[in-house]
Amino acid sequence: MDVLNVPWFSVVVGSVFVYFLYRRLWKVQSGLPLPPGPPPLPIVGNLLQLGGGKATEVMLALSQQYGPLMTLRLGTKTVMVVSSPAMAKEVLKTQDHNLAGRWVLQAAKTLDQHKSSIGWAEYGPHWKKLRRISSTELMTSRRLQALQHLRSEEIFRTVRLIFEERGKRVNISHTVFYTGLNLLGKMIFSASVFDPNNPESMEFKDAFSLSMKLAGTPNVADFFPFLAFLDPQRLCRQMAINFRKVHKFLDVYIQDRVAKRGKNVEQNKDADKDFLDVLLDFSGPDLTIKDIRALIFELFMAGSDTSATTIEWAMAELIRNPHTMKRVQEELDQVVGHNRRVEESDIDQLPYLHAAVKEVFRLHPPIPLLVPHQAENSCEVAGYSIPKNSKIMVNVWAIGRDPTVWEEPLKFIPERFLEGDKSKIEYKGQDFELLPFGAGRRICMGLPLAHKMVHLVLAALAHSFDWALPDGLPSEKLDMSDELGAALKKAQELTAIPTPRLPHHLY
């Protein structure tokens, strides 16, 4: 039977009618209007406008016409788009208690993954427990410091592999992604998880990568939820196949550890525990093995793909701006020298490197619209009503390009963070001009780890090698176009040729 012949059209028209009736009644009852926005078309709303280009760019253009707090109608969903630091502060700080819910996308609901997810779980007691364990047991300075040697070992294993194949092209994104997987594997399981010679390892890597790709694919069922059971694009079906492969791989490590603990095998001291041991210490009715697996899956997603994307953008900007690369390397030479490798303890003494990373986050935020929020309660922002269950998207990509906030916003200028009024800006959720990890209750749990990984990997690559584009391509010709998916990636993956710049025994 042709889906178009069933009465979906009547259902859609009815849904749209109910929405506009609700919108009118809300305005009457609250005395406040919704934020302004472009007139929606029947049924589809403003979806066709977003389909004409990258969502970040289209939303930026619309916000310049309708303001930094704007209403869009995306199918049956009412979406508020935030495009300025002031509005971001209102939404993520002042009204955080009302707007800390989640718009859970259909892909995240696959196999009920969202119910055990810190990123996607509904705001409530279970989410608070997951978040508390993460912030007080996993992402503490003490825990991360105890696992510092694992990060250094894995990063310099990568440096050694690059050195051994010197003269060959290096795919920065792939190299850093594999490094991130193994680094997280060491921190979570005390084991490397990526081995190109292991079929199970390759299946995990492929399924994991495809899951990230599917998660970034626009899904019509997110905007017309009554179509979810049909899964019209087969995205959730494909997602389930890949989730099961990832779960199967992770379960081997989890069940093996559970079995060893059950046999009273001597446990590590608290300071030496990996993330899995910590999570199993809290296991019980409120933290099931399913919850633990979902948290581990989320740690891999947050720590590998987005960090690899950020490092690829950083290397692209440094190669494209040789004077910036030179200054980064001069700072490293001054602090670290040429007789040893850069260590994590050096990072705090590298202010220009920090400035360069901030500039990368400003121009290339890994999640440019953040993970969407949902209003748990109706509230008022800037004189406008935000109805309960409306969705909120924060366009941090647009905020990073706002000419009223940033001088010469399209240029890569790390120096802006070393002097003047921008010198004290950080990206830890308190400065709303720079929000790559979000802010408030829903700030990214992996921020402390990502901060360490990005800086150390970038420092190691810049300190260990000089980099040039293949085929003698001038640095200014490097393609910097992007594509929007689960993360903001380079449209063309960065490949570069390394030349060692340290004594060979250091590799």
Side-chain angles (χ1 to χ4, degrees), residues 442-457:
R442 289 288 189 170
I443 193 169
C444 175
M445 69 162 184
L447 191 160
L449 178 58
H451 171 82
K452 292 180 180 295
M453 284 180 60
V454 168
H455 284 86
L456 184 56
V457 173

Side-chain angles (χ1 to χ4, degrees), residues 1-8:
M1 180 174 61
D2 190 340
V3 174
L4 295 177
N5 291 329
V6 298
W8 295 123

Side-chain angles (χ1 to χ4, degrees), residues 90-101 123 373-380 440-441:
E90 284 291 309
V91 166
L92 300 176
K93 183 177 181 180
T94 306
Q95 294 293 341
D96 186 29
H97 58 294
N98 289 315
L99 305 178
Y123 183 71
H373 287 230
Q374 177 171 285
E376 294 288 293
N377 303 292
S378 303
C379 63
E380 175 186 344
R441 289 168 171 81

Side-chain angles (χ1 to χ4, degrees), residues 360-433:
V360 172
F361 280 136
R362 181 186 70 82
L363 279 172
H364 312 288
I367 311 294
L369 296 172
L370 300 184
V371 182
H373 287 230
Q374 177 171 285
E376 294 288 293
N377 303 292
S378 303
C379 63
E380 175 186 344
V381 173
Y384 297 107
S385 65
I386 308 295
K388 183 178 179 178
N389 294 325
S390 56
K391 320 305 177 186
I392 299 95
M393 303 183 82
V394 181
N395 192 350
V396 296
W397 184 92
I399 292 173
R401 285 166 166 73
D402 188 341
T404 67
V405 178
W406 306 101
E407 186 177 349
E408 297 186 281
L410 300 184
K411 291 186 177 182
F412 186 77
I413 309 174
E415 288 78 5
R416 72 174 82 242
F417 290 105
L418 295 176
E419 53 195 31
D421 60 334
K422 300 295 188 290
S423 61
K424 296 183 179 180
I425 288 180
E426 297 292 343
Y427 49 78
K428 299 181 180 180
Q430 301 301 316
D431 298 298
F432 294 87
E433 302 94 332

Side-chain angles (χ1 to χ4, degrees), residues 23-34 380 383-385:
R23 182 173 177 172
R24 182 176 294 275
L25 288 174
W26 171 263
K27 183 174 179 179
V28 170
Q29 292 173 3
S30 69
L32 297 172
L34 293 175
E380 175 186 344
Y384 297 107
S385 65

Side-chain angles (χ1 to χ4, degrees), residues 57-130:
E57 296 177 2
V58 175
M59 288 180 180
L60 172 58
L62 289 173
S63 70
Q64 291 169 345
Q65 181 177 357
Y66 294 99
L69 182 62
M70 173 178 64
T71 301
L72 295 180
R73 182 66 182 174
L74 304 182
T76 63
K77 302 297 183 181
T78 302
V79 181
M80 310 301 175
V81 180
V82 173
S83 303
S84 75
M87 287 300 101
K89 184 176 182 180
E90 284 291 309
V91 166
L92 300 176
K93 183 177 181 180
T94 306
Q95 294 293 341
D96 186 29
H97 58 294
N98 289 315
L99 305 178
R102 270 288 183 250
W103 176 12
V104 184
L105 304 181
Q106 295 298 326
K109 295 180 181 179
T110 303
L111 303 183
D112 289 334
Q113 181 79 14
H114 67 294
K115 294 182 179 179
S116 301
S117 162
I118 293 179
W120 290 105
E122 295 180 4
Y123 183 71
H126 187 59
W127 176 85
K128 290 179 181 178
K129 180 179 179 65
L130 297 178

